[in-house]
Amino acid sequence: MHPRQLAAPAAALALALGLAACNGDPEPKVEDPPPSTSTSTLDPATSAPPTSEPTSEPTSEPPADETPEQFIRRFQAASSAMQSSGETQPYLDLTQNCQSCEDLADEVDRVYSAGGYVELGDELVRRIKRVGGVDGIAIMEYDLQIGPTTIFDSAGAAVDQFPGGTDRFQLNVRLEDGSWKVLRLNRLVDQ
């Protein structure tokens, strides 16, 4: 696959992959969220600045009583660490039969196994909210703001560069044996 097809996922988790459903199940029906559902946001004025260099290794071990919102931040940190390091397993450990997640990990494997690497721009997860749920699956949306990203080949030459921007994603997550798993990940298209 052409490196441009990795860059979009690197820049926005899956822009070029045209994220598809992670399993063959039909699209779940979205129920209205309960009235008490709140929207979580990360305030740049009161939060540490985002970085493409994780301050500590992301872990696939969930904290006690992790909320879906906390899990999304942990999942995105694992995605960023994967794209910055080429180590795909910690990211994949947070998924279950998610085809688009596996496709992204395969693209990262291809770049790094060919001697290339990714310099991922700063990321900021914003506006996480629950939009529905069905059969124990929480349907969540969040915005991902990402800075300029560059993909390099094995000789250190820039293969592709992307200016960055903000995209909205929808995930289906389920608590499995005390740990959240991503079952489906889609980039939402502006209407």
Side-chain angles (χ1 to χ4, degrees):
M1 218 171 239
H2 189 274
R4 170 163 283 217
Q5 290 175 305
L6 170 64
L13 275 183
L15 185 59
L17 293 176
L19 291 173
C22 296
N23 58 31
D25 294 340
E27 187 76 25
K29 294 179 182 173
V30 178
E31 299 171 357
D32 289 333
S36 64
T37 301
S38 64
T39 301
S40 299
T41 58
L42 181 60
D43 183 356
T46 60
S47 302
T51 176
S52 58
E53 298 287 329
T55 54
S56 63
E57 284 299 312
T59 176
S60 57
E61 293 300 316
D65 301 321
E66 182 177 43
T67 66
E69 293 84 1
Q70 291 167 327
F71 172 73
I72 288 170
R73 286 191 174 87
R74 186 165 61 94
F75 174 74
Q76 187 57 50
S79 175
S80 298
M82 170 186 67
Q83 293 172 71
S84 296
S85 70
E87 296 294 324
T88 60
Q89 197 57 54
Y91 168 82
L92 290 171
D93 288 345
L94 300 177
T95 71
Q96 181 179 14
N97 300 320
C98 176
Q99 188 60 54
S100 57
C101 302
E102 292 170 14
D103 290 345
L104 176 58
D106 288 346
E107 288 302 314
V108 169
D109 277 338
R110 283 187 194 103
V111 167
Y112 280 86
S113 66
Y117 61 98
V118 177
E119 284 186 0
L120 192 62
D122 291 344
E123 292 185 337
L124 183 61
V125 173
R126 297 177 173 243
R127 201 199 63 82
I128 299 173
K129 72 176 189 174
R130 182 182 177 126
V131 295
V134 62
D135 298 329
I137 298 171
I139 302 170
M140 309 292 294
E141 289 183 3
Y142 71 98
D143 293 338
L144 176 65
Q145 180 181 350
I146 187 166
T149 298
T150 305
I151 297 177
F152 295 90
D153 65 15
S154 61
V159 175
D160 230 328
Q161 296 180 324
F162 298 86
T166 302
D167 281 308
R168 179 163 294 160
F169 294 90
Q170 186 177 85
L171 312 114
N172 292 6
V173 296
R174 177 175 33 217
L175 196 57
E176 294 282 336
D177 298 321
S179 179
W180 291 98
K181 299 287 183 180
V182 174
L183 308 175
R184 178 187 205 101
L185 172 65
N186 294 295
R187 180 181 156 268
L188 300 178
V189 178
D190 293 331
Q191 302 270 340

